[in-house]
């Protein structure tokens, strides 16, 4: 089955700096890649997603890039703010949607004021 | 948040006792999922449902059973709780339409003593 690896497991950045989280996947048939943000005591919330027919997608300070050849995708957060502090999860699916998601192990991001 | 509620939100129980967790959604989403979240493992799928009385196993289904008698409710049962089932449990839903992603509930924190 699909295997998703996520790095780093923890990341600490200064407010205003950029943060990058990377994920690799094993199944070349995977075609949908969402990113979720989980704040303390809450469930994961979708922040951005990308499909295999697109190489990059941006939403304000958040962007995701996808390299299908290398089978990896990355989350980029620019101009980080303290409210960006959370755990971030990547995921992959072959179903062109959120069905049958395989999740990475998560990255705990801390933004220092 | 797709109108997802989970009950109870917190539970402490003893080894060997049965436990049932409830997920309730108000958006008439066809697909529903149960995950467990543990440090270092991310989110792992326990069981899922594609409709009323249509359920199947995920990657960590041993020791768990589910039932879905109504579209809006998805129950997760631990027949005889063990300490290894101490975890945070999340329910998620999906419309089933192409391009949609999963929405997560707030979670249930379960401690098995």
């Amino acid at each position: 089955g699909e295997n998703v690896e996520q790095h780093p497991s923890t990341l600490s950045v200064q407010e205003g700096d950029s943060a990058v989280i990377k994920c690799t996947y094993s199944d070349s048939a995977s075609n949908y890649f969402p990113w979720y943000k989980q704040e303390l005591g809450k469930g994961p919330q979708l922040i951005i997603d990308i499909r295999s027919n697109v190489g990059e997608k941006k939403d304000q300070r958040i962007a995701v890039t996808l390299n299908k050849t290398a089978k990896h995708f990355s989350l980029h957060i620019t101009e980080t703010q303290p409210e960006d502090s959370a755990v971030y999860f990547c995921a992959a699916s072959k179903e062109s949607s959120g069905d049958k998601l395989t999740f990475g192990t998560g990255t705990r991001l801390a933004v220092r004021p | 948040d797709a109108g997802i509620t989970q009950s109870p939100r917190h539970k402490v129980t003893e080894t060997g006792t049965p436990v049932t967790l409830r997920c309730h959604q108000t958006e008439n989403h066809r697909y529903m999922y149960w995950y467990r979240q543990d440090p270092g493992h991310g989110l792992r799928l326990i069981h899922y449902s594609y409709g009323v009385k249509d359920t199947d196993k995920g990657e960590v289904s041993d020791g768990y059973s589910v039932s879905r008698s109504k579209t809006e409710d998805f129950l997760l049962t631990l027949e005889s709780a063990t300490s290894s089932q101490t975890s945070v449990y999340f329910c998620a839903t999906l419309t089933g339409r192409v391009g949609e992603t999963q929405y997560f509930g707030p979670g249930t924190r379960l401690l098995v003593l």
Side-chain angles (χ1 to χ4, degrees):
Chain A
E2 173 69 280
N3 182 50
V4 177
E5 295 189 357
Q6 183 171 347
H7 299 280
S9 57
T10 60
L11 180 60
S12 179
V13 300
Q14 193 71 36
E15 182 177 358
D17 288 349
S18 295
V20 180
I21 303 170
K22 299 180 179 180
C23 289
T24 60
Y25 60 99
S26 61
D27 192 335
S28 57
S30 289
N31 52 29
Y32 175 66
F33 308 92
W35 284 89
Y36 288 84
K37 176 183 180 181
Q38 185 179 25
E39 298 176 339
L40 194 62
K42 297 184 178 180
Q45 301 291 315
L46 177 76
I47 55 171
I48 196 167
D49 57 9
I50 193 168
R51 289 176 172 78
S52 58
N53 59 344
V54 175
E56 182 174 0
K57 184 176 179 180
K58 189 173 182 180
D59 183 3
Q60 299 183 338
R61 296 185 297 108
I62 293 173
V64 57
T65 58
L66 172 64
N67 184 326
K68 289 187 294 183
T69 301
K71 289 190 285 186
H72 68 71
F73 56 113
S74 299
L75 177 70
H76 305 254
I77 306 174
T78 58
E79 301 174 16
T80 54
Q81 301 168 4
E83 51 265 38
D84 294 328
S85 296
V87 178
Y88 292 82
F89 290 97
C90 63
S93 171
K94 296 187 288 187
E95 306 297 324
S96 299
S97 71
D99 189 27
K100 294 188 173 65
L101 290 174
T102 299
F103 285 85
T105 51
T107 296
R108 183 173 299 278
L109 173 64
V111 180
R112 304 187 304 273
Chain B
D1 62 359
I4 302 171
T5 56
Q6 292 186 231
S7 58
R9 293 293 313 279
H10 303 271
K11 187 170 182 65
V12 180
T13 191
E14 294 186 349
T15 298
T17 60
V19 176
T20 294
L21 308 182
R22 182 186 183 224
C23 177
H24 179 78
Q25 55 121 342
T26 59
E27 299 295 322
N28 203 37
H29 286 180
R30 178 182 169 192
Y31 296 5
M32 298 185 76
Y33 308 82
W34 275 108
Y35 293 90
R36 60 178 290 172
Q37 184 177 38
D38 305 288
H41 291 279
L43 291 150
R44 292 182 292 174
L45 183 64
I46 305 171
H47 281 280
Y48 59 97
S49 169
Y50 286 170
V52 173
K53 299 191 190 309
D54 182 4
T55 65
D56 208 344
K57 297 178 180 180
E59 73 174 294
V60 291
S61 59
D62 287 349
Y64 302 94
S65 62
V66 290
S67 66
R68 192 169 180 200
S69 58
K70 297 186 290 185
T71 299
E72 58 266 35
D73 289 325
F74 194 28
L75 304 180
L76 177 70
T77 297
L78 291 67
E79 300 291 347
S80 178
T82 68
S83 58
S84 64
Q85 293 176 313
T86 291
S87 187
V88 181
Y89 292 86
F90 287 99
C91 173
T93 70
L94 181 68
T95 62
R97 293 189 293 269
V98 173
E100 294 287 325
T101 196
Q102 291 185 27
Y103 296 93
F104 284 81
T108 293
R109 188 172 295 274
L110 176 67
L111 175 61
V112 183
L113 299 174

